């Protein structure tokens, strides 16, 4: 059985470090690109009233590239072998990140995944990780009858008493934030403290000028498992202090 380091190897060249904040051109909530002069990207500014939690992405997921394809195909590939191989790599990545950045993530009692309308796809990844063996409870379920209304906590049913629990929220990919923010709001409404939320990939469209500008310097840097956006996010130039 290969170790996490070997499993991540095929992803290495495609992993993109996550920028630090605050800095110009970086969203203060999701660490993706924002227009210069704006502290939030568009989805996160639309979430303004909902007081969204600061997201902790493991990597940027550039549209059309390898991480993006893993984050789709680990759940949607028609081949069971491909789904299994990709899930294993993503599990190795998430496990590595969690072991390196426990302090950045914060204290938590158990983890739960953000469900989509029909399933909890990320559970196939989380189930492979020893850390979550006794510390995972799926307390969120989707209520598809409520539709895809952005940031609506009513989209999610909370299936257990979570009051005063510290819940690590996990998601595979962050695009508009509607799911992660809605899930966090539902947990908070039921009295939980939301920890993380950790997302594997913050999706980024390289064709959008602010994203192109961010990627022009950050995509050249190697992804380093000992650095995350909270403890050592990237800046265009190394800080002198
Ligand atoms: Zn944002
Ligand atoms: Zn860290």
């Amino acid at each position: 059985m290969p170790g996490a380091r070997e499993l991540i190897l095929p992803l290495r060249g495609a992993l993109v470090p996550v920028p630090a904040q605050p800095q110009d051109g970086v969203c203060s909530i999701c660490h993706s690109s924002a227009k210069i002069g704006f502290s939030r990207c568009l989805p996160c500014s639309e979430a303004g009233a909902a007081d969204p939690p600061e997201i902790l992405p493991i990597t940027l997921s550039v549209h059309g590239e390898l991480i993006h394809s893993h984050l789709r195909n680990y759940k949607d590939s028609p081949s069971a072998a491909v789904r299994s191989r990709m899930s294993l790599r993503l599990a190795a990545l998430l496990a590595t990140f969690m072991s390196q950045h426990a302090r950045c993530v914060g204290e938590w009692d158990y983890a739960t995944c953000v469900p989509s309308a029909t399933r909890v796809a990320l559970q196939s990844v989380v189930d492979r990780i020893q850390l979550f063996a006794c510390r995972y409870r799926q307390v969120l379920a989707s209520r598809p009858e409520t539709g895809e209304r952005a940031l609506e906590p009513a989209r999610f049913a909370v299936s257990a008493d979570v009051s005063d629990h510290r819940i690590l929220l996990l998601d595979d990919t962050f695009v508009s934030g509607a799911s992660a923010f809605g899930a966090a709001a539902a947990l908070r409404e039921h009295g939980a403290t939301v920890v993380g939320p950790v997302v594997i990939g913050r999706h980024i469209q390289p064709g959008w000028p602010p994203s192109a500008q961010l990627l022009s310097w950050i995509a050249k840097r190697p992804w380093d498992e000992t650095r995350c956006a909270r403890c050592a996010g990237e800046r265009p130039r190394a800080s002198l202090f």
Side-chain angles (χ1 to χ4, degrees), residues 27-33 40-45 174 181 202:
C27 174
S28 63
I29 300 294
C30 73
H31 293 262
S32 183
S33 51
R40 291 185 183 186
C41 70
L42 193 60
C44 293
S45 21
F174 182 109
F181 293 154
R202 191 347 176 165

Side-chain angles (χ1 to χ4, degrees), residues 8-9 17 26 41 77 84 103 116 131 146 156 181 183 188 201 214 221 228 241:
I8 296 173
L9 216 50
V26 174
C41 70
S77 169
S84 174
R103 288 214 309 214
S116 71
L131 173 69
T146 57
F156 297 96
F181 293 154
R188 285 171 169 174
L214 174 63
R221 306 207 177 160
C228 84
F241 302 100

Side-chain angles (χ1 to χ4, degrees), residues 8 11-17 58-60 67 93 218-219 221-223:
I8 296 173
L11 303 179
R12 281 256 170 211
L15 293 167
V16 179
I58 298 176
T59 176
L60 298 182
I67 302 302
L93 180 62
I218 207 167
R221 306 207 177 160
W223 182 86

Side-chain angles (χ1 to χ4, degrees), residues 56 97 100-105 225-232:
L56 182 51
F97 184 86
Q100 293 281 344
H101 300 286
R103 288 214 309 214
C104 308
V105 172
E225 67 251 43
T226 66
R227 298 162 58 91
C228 84
R230 283 191 189 160
C231 61

Side-chain angles (χ1 to χ4, degrees), residues 49-217:
D51 185 25
E54 184 210 334
I55 304 295
L56 182 51
I58 298 176
T59 176
L60 298 182
S61 167
V62 183
H63 186 84
E65 296 194 358
L66 189 70
I67 302 302
H68 180 221
S69 87
H70 271 66
L71 289 169
R72 289 175 78 129
N73 289 318
Y74 90 89
K75 51 189 177 189
D76 289 336
S77 169
S79 158
V82 169
R83 292 198 303 273
S84 174
R85 189 166 64 239
M86 292 186 170
S87 297
L88 201 55
R89 288 177 186 160
L90 294 175
L93 180 62
L94 178 57
T96 300
F97 184 86
M98 289 301 302
S99 71
Q100 293 281 344
H101 300 286
R103 288 214 309 214
C104 308
V105 172
E107 296 280 322
W108 49 280
D109 301 313
Y110 54 88
T112 204
C113 296
V114 177
S116 71
T118 52
R119 58 186 172 170
V120 188
L122 192 59
Q123 201 167 340
S124 69
V125 170
V126 169
D127 281 348
R128 297 169 188 264
I129 302 175
Q130 186 65 33
L131 173 69
F132 298 119
C134 301
R135 298 179 71 191
Y136 175 77
R137 288 171 68 191
Q138 190 53 43
V139 296
L140 282 171
S142 184
R143 297 167 69 193
E145 72 279 7
T146 57
E148 293 285 320
R149 282 175 297 167
L151 317 175
E152 179 56 80
R155 273 176 58 194
F156 297 96
V158 178
S159 61
D161 178 7
V162 298
S163 55
D164 300 324
H165 295 185
R166 294 167 300 183
I167 301 180
L168 170 61
L169 193 57
L170 301 172
D171 205 356
D172 49 16
T173 189
F174 182 109
V175 182
S176 74
S179 303
F181 293 154
L187 290 172
R188 285 171 169 174
E189 251 183 33
H190 285 76
T193 299
V194 172
V195 178
V198 172
V199 304
I200 297 177
R202 191 347 176 165
H203 185 262
I204 185 164
Q205 282 284 2
W208 191 54
S211 297
Q213 165 65 25
L214 174 63
L215 288 169
S216 70
W217 59 270

